[in-house]
């Protein structure tokens, strides 16, 4: 892939805070016009990396280019090409949506007329034209985040950094933001996304980098990462919890592909399979022969949560709190 196709290039990036090395040789490339997701456990270095790329923090070693410019040598050129949306909305609740966008435009020296035109354009683009004159205090959570996204695009940046953009939103608000992000990328914007929702990375990211210990430990599309965990899986939910151990033994013998995972709370056993149809047939027969009642049985792909846990050696709780 030629460098002209890359919006972000990071090589051997290092950053130390006193006795803690936050980044220990981070390598990362992001293709133009795509969403690149960054996942990792708490303290993995994601926020540090974003702050360096946004020219808010200086690194100690390696190099980083954003939009074709070195973040240390040409920080002003980088800033002209980026937008940054943090975890909390930066809009003023007393002002209307349009007034907020006009204010951001004036702060970026667009001039009164141009700021007003840009505000109207962005309100229309993010589905807020009908509520643009309402005070932001009357907006839903999803509407506020869409307005915040619009504010981050007031200068039409080539590259947008989204640091946990849907934290605290309900499912509807999260879906609204996802739709807005897809619209941005459809218009040519490059997005670097850190998120605490693995489903969000699965839904939005063209490629994903998993960071742990200040470096990238795995990367690829969501499907590539899932396939690396062993392809399809078979899940069996037993009707009676007392039969869980027996079900695990029977399933392991039937599919013959290795360890069986057990979830006592969900009365579920799970195992990786290669030949999905044969495995399903054998599992159903073996469970019936053993007198084990299955409440549900299904074939599925591994989830991104399972990939995350496998790569980082974390816990289910860590998978749900995948960034910071």
């Amino acid at each position: 892939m030629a460098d002209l196709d890359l919006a972000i290039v990071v090589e051997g990036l290092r950053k130390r805070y006193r006795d803690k090395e936050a980044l220990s040789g981070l390598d990362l490339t992001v293709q133009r016009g795509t969403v690149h997701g960054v996942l990792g456990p708490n303290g993995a270095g994601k926020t540090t990396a974003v702050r360096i790329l946004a020219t808010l923090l200086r690194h100690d070693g390696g190099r980083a280019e954003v939009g074709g410019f070195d973040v240390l040598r040409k920080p002003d050129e980088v800033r002209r090409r980026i937008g940054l949306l943090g975890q909390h909305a930066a809009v003023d609740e007393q002002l209307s949506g349009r007034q907020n966008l006009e204010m951001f435009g004036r702060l970026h020296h667009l001039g009164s007329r141009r700021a007003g035109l840009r505000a109207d354009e962005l309100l229309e683009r993010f589905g807020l034209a009908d509520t643009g004159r309402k005070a932001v205090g009357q907006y839903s959570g999803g509407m506020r985040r869409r307005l915040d996204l619009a504010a981050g695009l007031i200068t039409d940046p080539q590259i947008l950094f989204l640091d946990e953009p849907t934290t605290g939103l309900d499912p509807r608000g999260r879906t609204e933001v996802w739709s807005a992000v897809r619209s941005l990328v459809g218009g040519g914007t490059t997005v670097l996304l850190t998120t605490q929702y693995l489903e969000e990375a699965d839904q939005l990211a063209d490629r994903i980098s998993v960071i742990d210990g200040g470096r990238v430990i795995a990367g690829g599309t969501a499907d590539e990462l899932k396939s690396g965990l062993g392809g399809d899986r078979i899940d069996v939910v037993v009707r009676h919890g007392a039969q869980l151990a027996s079900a695990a033994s029977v399933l392991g013998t039937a599919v013959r592909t290795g360890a069986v995972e057990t979830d006592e709370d969900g009365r579920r056993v799970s195992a990786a399979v290669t030949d999905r149809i044969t495995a399903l047939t054998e599992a159903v027969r073996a469970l019936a022969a053993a007198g084990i009642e299955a409440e549900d049985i299904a074939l599925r792909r591994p989830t991104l949560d399972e990939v995350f846990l496998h790569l980082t050696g974390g816990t289910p709780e860590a998978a749900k709190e995948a960034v910071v």
Side-chain angles (χ1 to χ4, degrees), residues 26-143:
L26 181 72
D27 295 315
L28 181 70
T29 56
V30 178
Q31 190 172 9
R32 294 184 186 277
T34 66
V35 178
H36 194 104
V38 178
L39 303 177
N42 293 340
K46 299 172 303 303
T47 297
T48 295
V50 168
R51 289 175 61 82
I52 289 172
L53 294 174
T55 75
L56 299 175
L57 188 66
R58 293 175 65 90
H59 53 279
D60 302 325
R63 77 179 185 99
E65 289 186 0
V66 175
F69 294 92
D70 188 282
V71 297
L72 285 184
R73 296 174 184 171
K74 299 285 186 178
D76 290 340
E77 293 293 342
V78 171
R79 290 172 192 143
R80 290 189 184 100
R81 289 162 174 79
I82 67 171
L84 174 63
L85 176 63
Q87 298 177 22
H88 306 289
V91 292
D92 188 324
E93 294 191 358
Q94 303 303 313
L95 301 179
S96 70
R98 190 177 192 278
Q99 289 172 329
N100 267 282
L101 295 182
E102 284 183 301
M103 177 183 67
F104 279 105
R106 298 292 294 274
L107 289 172
H108 283 282
H109 311 291
L110 294 187
S112 177
R113 182 174 180 278
R114 188 180 171 196
L117 290 173
R118 184 64 174 155
D120 289 337
E121 177 186 339
L122 288 169
L123 288 170
E124 183 69 33
R125 182 175 181 180
F126 285 92
L128 297 170
D130 293 341
T131 56
R133 299 190 181 278
K134 287 185 179 180
V136 173
Q138 301 177 40
Y139 282 21
S140 67
M143 291 168 64

Side-chain angles (χ1 to χ4, degrees), residues 239-314:
R239 187 173 301 278
H240 307 293
Q243 294 185 316
L244 195 62
S246 298
S249 177
V250 169
L251 183 62
T253 301
V255 301
R256 299 185 296 276
T257 56
V260 176
E261 297 176 4
T262 301
D263 174 8
E264 293 186 5
D265 292 336
R267 291 180 282 110
R268 178 183 290 106
V269 292
S270 176
V273 298
T274 50
D275 186 336
R276 49 190 285 133
I277 301 302
T278 299
L280 180 61
T281 302
E282 291 297 325
V284 170
R285 288 175 178 171
L287 291 167
I292 296 172
E293 294 185 62
E295 191 170 273
D296 189 25
I297 184 166
L299 285 165
R300 64 174 177 82
R301 298 292 308 281
T303 65
L304 207 52
D305 298 61
E306 290 168 329
V307 173
F308 178 82
L309 293 173
H310 174 74
L311 292 170
T312 64

